[in-house]
Amino acid sequence: MPLLGLESFTLKNRSRLFQMICGLLLAVSTLTLSSCSHPIYYYTQYNFAGRVVPPSGLLQRVMVGTSIDGGVGTLNIIDGLRDIRSNVQNTIHSFQIAGYATGFPNLILDFPEQLRGYVWSSTTGGLSAIDYSKENVGASSNLPANAAIAISETFNHYYAATENAGQWIVIDNTTQSPSSYALNIANVFQTVVNQGDTVALAMVRNSSTIYRLVKLNPNQANPPGAVDCQPYNLPLYCAIPVVGTFDHPIGAYFSADGTTVYILNAGPEYGGTTASVTFLQQGPLNVNSIPTASPDTSAFIANVPVPGGVTAAISDGTTLYVSGQQRQSDGLFAGRLSTINLATLAVTGSYSISDGNHSKMLFADDNTLWIGSQACAVGERQHQASLGVTTQAANYNCLTRFDLGAKTASIVPAITPGGATTVPYPNQNADPYYYGDLTGICWVQNYHKVYTAYGGQVHAFNTPDGSEINNFFITVQGTALDVAYMDALTNSAD
């Protein structure tokens, strides 16, 4: 009997051991099979500031707004660390933002600090909120097509300037049901807002007029000087002219300390006389600062003429860098980068950069500044190329790398028009010397590279020397319109 009991005990344990081994083998087999398709097993489970690992498993994501035939729009996700559009094993060939179906996503407003972004389609008027953690589309809004839009880091309001309708639209998200207010301003074409959503401005086409937004108290009458207040019967928002002498302003840049607004006066580039930067105090322009007399309280500090032109700006806190174009003796425009000392308000330098309408400026690794523009092939550089010049002076591409230490500028990619040095990775049109418009740029922070939407395709460049990364594995189907670094440490990476 004892022997029989021992044998029975042994047989039971053998059976259990066999079941355990089978279960272990099954688990290992399942894990092995699932790992072939699951994208995250080779990534760390912890990201910057405790951010969760997203569904794609990618932790250095570059989002690309792409359009196919101008209709269907997609938001592709590229691995900005490895410069591939698939997972490492190539079992997942591409990643996308789930639920996005709006056409022509030509503007990405990137807020990685808040783990979200907004994608704007100028052709449809669709504004889609993107959840970076879930990689899907959140709430969507409809704004007029072909508008200029602005959103602050608070997300309390959306602003749109609709030139065709002549309306400056304010969407108030602070109410339970977001309300829309349309202020009537003829030819309004641009709007800007500061990070804290306390100053919102609008500019008028072919004009030197700027308006600021004012929010009234309940049951308050229209303030002096208001050009329009809405709603008409119980006004809440008003447009007030900003006091100052401007010259065809097309935008503004706000200081990081919240004290100053730099108004970008395009001057000759937009049909005016003198390009300059007008310095204004932010305080008097606050949305809650209600005028008591007309004209409004002046916020003027100084005006700094900039011969090189002003259409875009960026600051490191001590220097304001402005890009634009200067008219040449032959009537054509040439791109210039100018530096303004913020302590003395003096222009301290001027450098030749790419031609075209400058709209993108971005600091990046290795003490570099990157400047992008559009319509570069109609300026002075292309004219020099047509005359047979085959040097860098005739390189009419739309991206400039500026070395902040050496204070030298180089056009990227480095080519010699009509010569042997051509673009390294031609776009679909196979032009050997010209990529096309630079419509998007982002900085993959601490990885020494920038990504661009350049001539309708994705191109990435090394920040140390401006050389291009082979883009074979990061190209997208369709036309690349804009790019954004979703996992940036700060919102300044776009």
Side-chain angles (χ1 to χ4, degrees), residues 166-359:
Q167 291 182 329
W168 186 18
I169 296 174
V170 181
I171 296 181
D172 191 337
N173 297 318
T174 62
T175 59
Q176 187 172 2
S177 297
S179 302
S180 179
Y181 306 88
L183 299 168
N184 295 297
I185 302 175
N187 299 319
V188 62
F189 82 111
Q190 184 60 272
T191 182
V192 294
V193 63
N194 66 349
Q195 294 179 356
D197 199 16
T198 60
V199 176
L201 305 174
M203 289 80 181
V204 177
R205 175 83 69 182
N206 298 323
S207 167
S208 294
T209 302
I210 300 176
Y211 294 96
R212 72 179 182 97
L213 187 69
V214 168
K215 185 176 183 180
L216 303 180
N217 298 314
N219 301 316
Q220 184 173 5
N222 293 4
V227 296
D228 190 30
C229 294
Q230 295 294 334
Y232 182 78
N233 292 327
L234 294 172
L236 180 62
Y237 289 101
C238 298
I240 306 293
V242 176
V243 175
T245 301
F246 309 106
D247 193 336
H248 291 68
I250 65 160
Y253 182 83
F254 297 90
S255 65
D257 62 6
T259 63
T260 311
V261 186
Y262 310 118
I263 301 297
L264 310 180
N265 298 303
E269 224 177 316
Y270 274 66
T273 303
T274 304
S276 67
V277 176
T278 301
F279 291 67
L280 302 177
Q281 302 173 65
Q282 285 198 41
L285 304 176
N286 192 290
V287 68
N288 295 314
S289 178
I290 302 171
T292 57
S294 181
D296 195 10
T297 302
S298 176
F300 181 81
I301 299 174
N303 183 269
V304 180
V306 182
V310 178
T311 57
I314 193 171
S315 173
D316 59 8
T318 59
T319 301
L320 183 68
Y321 298 86
V322 295
S323 56
Q325 295 189 100
Q326 185 175 28
R327 192 189 302 274
Q328 305 300 294
S329 58
D330 58 8
L332 297 173
F333 282 94
R336 304 293 298 182
L337 172 69
S338 303
T339 56
I340 301 175
N341 185 308
L342 292 178
T344 63
L345 302 187
V347 176
T348 56
S350 181
Y351 310 90
S352 176
I353 59 173
S354 60
D355 298 340
N357 176 43
H358 298 86
S359 61

Side-chain angles (χ1 to χ4, degrees), residues 51 89 91 135 141 148 164 174 176 208 230 247 326 331 376 461:
R51 298 174 184 175
Q89 307 90 333
T91 56
E135 296 180 341
S141 303
N164 291 338
T174 62
Q176 187 172 2
S208 294
Q230 295 294 334
D247 193 336
Q326 185 175 28
C376 308
F461 300 90

Side-chain angles (χ1 to χ4, degrees), residues 24-92:
L24 180 61
L25 289 173
L26 178 62
V28 171
S29 175
T30 302
L31 179 62
T32 302
L33 289 173
S34 64
S35 68
C36 291
S37 60
H38 201 287
I40 71 171
Y41 81 96
Y42 49 83
Y43 293 106
T44 176
Q45 294 296 307
Y46 300 97
N47 200 3
F48 172 76
R51 298 174 184 175
V52 299
V53 174
S56 68
L58 307 177
L59 300 185
Q60 310 300 335
R61 297 167 295 172
V62 174
M63 180 165 57
V64 184
T66 307
S67 176
I68 300 176
D69 298 327
V72 179
T74 59
L75 298 176
N76 297 281
I77 302 174
I78 291 175
D79 185 343
L81 175 62
R82 297 167 178 82
D83 304 317
I84 54 177
R85 58 180 172 267
S86 65
N87 63 347
V88 170
Q89 307 90 333
N90 201 30
T91 56
I92 302 176

Side-chain angles (χ1 to χ4, degrees), residues 110-113 153 195 253 314-315 361-364 441-443 445 485 488-494:
D110 190 32
F111 300 96
E113 293 180 43
E153 292 182 357
Q195 294 179 356
Y253 182 83
I314 193 171
S315 173
M361 299 186 73
L362 182 73
F363 291 120
I441 185 169
C442 66
W443 164 32
Q445 288 174 302
Y485 180 34
L489 309 183
T490 65
N491 291 341
S492 62
D494 282 272

